[in-house]
């Protein structure tokens, strides 16, 4: 179980929207150090903030960022893109996968040694569109479904190594990314608060806004979650005997 107070937290995509809300929430909860990864280093008045130049698709920037982080307790994979394009152009899907899937994979892999050392947690900010696609943003939905599967796999593989893996399944949030969605939207600040509440309560799957929370009870007691747990146990048993 991760506690934000006194911890070192790294947040990707921390310059706006939910990411900026997460930065401020981590500071308000007493984080000792908050590393903020953005394409351009973020200026912040709080001395506890360490800005990192971190484009999650840039391997060289990622290597330099790893060298700048002394210790890490909580990694929040928040960086993401959502383009309102259809699936006729493969390059659009590839751009989404590069950030939303492989960005999450590469950042987690790069910082995993620090998380293993602290027995910390990784938090992947995903979407309810990873459970069911939103046709307005199909490439985004595909990439988030893949990122959710990655999150579940990492959760099972890292559990026995002491690293917790949390999936955040967000609905519409009042940010630039959701500008084209005509639906009630939660504030970025309230979502950030609910995300860290969920981490500190050790919730595997976090539903941080009213729309996603309406799915929580059915998800946690549903067939898909039951299957995830059964397959994780099966995998653990296989590794133990191989």
């Amino acid at each position: 179980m991760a506690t934000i107070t006194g911890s070192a937290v790294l947040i990707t995509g921390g310059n706006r929207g939910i990411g900026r809300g997460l930065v401020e929430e981590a500071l308000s909860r007493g984080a000792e150090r908050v590393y903020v990864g953005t394409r351009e280093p973020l200026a912040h008045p709080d001395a506890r903030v360490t800005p990192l130049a971190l484009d999650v698709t840039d391997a060289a920037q990622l290597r330099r960022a790893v060298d700048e982080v002394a210790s890490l307790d909580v990694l929040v994979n928040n960086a993401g893109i959502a383009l309102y394009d259809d699936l006729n152009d493969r390059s659009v899907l590839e751009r989404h996968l590069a950030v939303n899937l492989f960005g999450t994979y590469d950042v987690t892999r790069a910082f995993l040694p620090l998380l293993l050392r602290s027995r910390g947690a990784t938090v992947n900010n995903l979407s309810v569109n990873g459970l069911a696609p939103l046709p307005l943003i199909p490439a985004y939905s595909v990439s988030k479904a893949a990122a959710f599967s990655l999150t579940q796999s990492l959760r099972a593989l890292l559990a026995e190594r002491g690293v917790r893996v949390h999936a955040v399944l967000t609905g519409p949030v009042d940010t630039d990314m959701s500008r084209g969605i005509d639906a009630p939207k939660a504030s970025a600040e309230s979502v950030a608060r609910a995300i860290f509440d969920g981490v500190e309560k050790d919730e595997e799957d976090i539903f941080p806004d009213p729309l996603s929370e309406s799915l929580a009870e059915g998800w946690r007691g549903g067939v898909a979650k039951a299957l995830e747990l059964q397959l994780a146990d099966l995998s653990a048993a296989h590794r133990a005997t191989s």
Side-chain angles (χ1 to χ4, degrees), residues 186-204:
S187 70
E189 294 77 15
S190 68
V191 168
R193 185 165 55 252
I195 288 172
F196 281 136
D197 282 346
V199 171
E200 293 192 325
K201 293 175 182 175
D202 203 26
E203 296 174 356
E204 284 191 335

Side-chain angles (χ1 to χ4, degrees), residues 10-20 22-23 36-39 52 54-58 61-62 75-82 95-105 107-108 123-127 140 143-144 147 177 195:
L10 192 158
I11 300 164
T12 65
N15 59 327
R16 58 189 175 137
I18 297 173
R20 189 56 184 260
L22 287 164
V23 171
V36 184
T38 56
R39 289 177 182 268
L52 301 173
L54 180 53
D55 176 344
V56 299
T57 67
D58 187 320
Q61 280 195 359
L62 181 53
L75 167 63
V76 184
N77 285 301
N78 173 71
I81 63 168
R95 286 182 65 189
H96 282 82
L97 291 171
V99 176
N100 298 342
L101 174 64
F102 292 113
T104 296
Y105 173 81
V107 172
T108 301
V123 183
N124 295 343
N125 192 11
L126 306 171
S127 171
Y140 171 82
S143 68
K144 287 299 187 179
M177 189 177 289
I195 288 172

Side-chain angles (χ1 to χ4, degrees), residues 172-224:
V173 182
D174 189 14
T175 66
D176 291 343
M177 189 177 289
S178 298
R179 67 190 180 280
I181 301 174
D182 184 15
K185 299 170 186 174
S187 70
E189 294 77 15
S190 68
V191 168
R193 185 165 55 252
I195 288 172
F196 281 136
D197 282 346
V199 171
E200 293 192 325
K201 293 175 182 175
D202 203 26
E203 296 174 356
E204 284 191 335
D205 302 313
I206 300 169
F207 299 82
D209 59 273
L211 187 149
S212 66
E213 180 59 28
S214 70
L215 308 174
E217 183 177 354
W219 171 259
R220 291 169 179 146
V223 173

Side-chain angles (χ1 to χ4, degrees), residues 128-152:
V128 293
N129 301 130
L131 305 179
L134 178 62
L136 285 172
I137 42 176
Y140 171 82
S141 299
V142 170
S143 68
K144 287 299 187 179
F148 185 38
S149 181
L150 171 66
T151 300
Q152 292 172 305

